[in-house]
């Protein structure tokens, strides 16, 4: 009987998050995707909807927190892992914290995303790492990343130009 190592499981889930980001871009939104995997194996998925819904808070992670809170108990969220194509911004990190999700794993780092923005870009960015947001919280949130996952950078190629 073969088992999947935790790092390989992380990479598989991150690959799915990157695919969700690709779908978000295909749907005309910003290229971000995320999923929550509960300890019992239930999975909740979301993509960015900022453009489609005209909602600046429609980031993949905030959409995911709303959906996951509808489907999973507080106890289940605490033992769940949120996987995301790109490090959560400060707003999303706050939502993840308030939801009580225990672990966050990301592919592309927030600093790497900022480097992809063209010089003088009008895009909003907050250069605050998720770890810093979580470190200021009243309960622990484990963070793993960045992971080098195929497609994590490429899904942004040409989007922010």
């Amino acid at each position: 009987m073969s088992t999947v190592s935790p790092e390989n499981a992380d990479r598989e889930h991150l690959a799915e998050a990157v695919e969700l980001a690709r779908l978000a871009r295909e749907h005309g939104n910003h290229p971000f995707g995320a999923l929550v995997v509960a300890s019992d194996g239930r999975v909740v998925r979301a993509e960015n909807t900022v453009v489609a819904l005209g909602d600046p808070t429609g980031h993949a992670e905030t959409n995911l927190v709303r959906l996951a809170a509808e489907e999973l108990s507080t106890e289940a969220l605490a033992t769940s892992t949120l996987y995301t194509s790109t490090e959560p911004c400060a707003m999303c990190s706050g939502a993840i914290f308030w939801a009580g999700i225990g672990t966050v794993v990301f592919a592309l780092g927030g600093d790497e995303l900022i480097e992809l923005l063209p010089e003088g870009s009008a895009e909003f960015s907050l250069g605050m790492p998720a770890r810093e947001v979580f470190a200021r919280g009243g309960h622990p949130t484990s963070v793993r990343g960045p992971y080098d996952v195929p497609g994590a950078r490429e899904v942004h190629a040409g989007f922010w130009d």
Side-chain angles (χ1 to χ4, degrees):
M1 180 173 158
S2 70
T3 59
V4 177
S5 73
E7 183 170 330
N8 285 342
D10 281 353
R11 290 184 181 283
E12 288 176 17
H13 294 306
L14 288 171
E16 184 174 358
V18 170
E19 175 59 15
L20 289 165
R22 188 193 65 73
L23 290 171
R25 183 172 179 171
E26 188 176 287
H27 297 141
N29 290 294
H30 299 166
F32 301 100
L35 58 139
V36 162
V37 179
S39 59
D40 66 5
R42 287 182 287 173
V43 179
V44 182
R45 296 166 180 85
E47 60 186 60
N48 182 288
T49 58
V50 167
V51 177
L53 299 181
D55 177 1
T57 68
H59 292 195
E61 298 89 347
T62 54
N63 289 339
L64 181 59
V65 164
R66 287 183 200 103
L67 292 169
E70 291 175 8
E71 292 190 33
L72 302 170
S73 68
T74 301
E75 294 77 20
L77 287 170
T79 60
S80 293
T81 301
L82 186 148
Y83 294 91
T84 183
S85 60
T86 304
E87 181 175 4
C89 71
M91 175 184 72
C92 292
S93 295
I96 294 163
F97 171 81
W98 290 116
I101 295 170
T103 302
V104 174
V105 182
F106 63 90
L108 187 69
D111 57 339
E112 296 172 280
L113 175 64
I114 290 172
E115 289 174 9
L116 294 175
L117 298 176
E119 182 88 23
S121 173
E123 291 298 327
F124 293 127
S125 63
L126 283 171
M128 182 180 292
R131 283 180 175 89
E132 185 175 331
V133 175
F134 296 132
R136 294 170 184 258
H139 61 79
T141 304
S142 173
V143 180
R144 297 191 299 270
Y147 278 92
D148 185 15
V149 175
R153 290 181 73 84
E154 292 78 6
V155 74
H156 294 278
F159 183 84
W160 305 104
D161 296 342

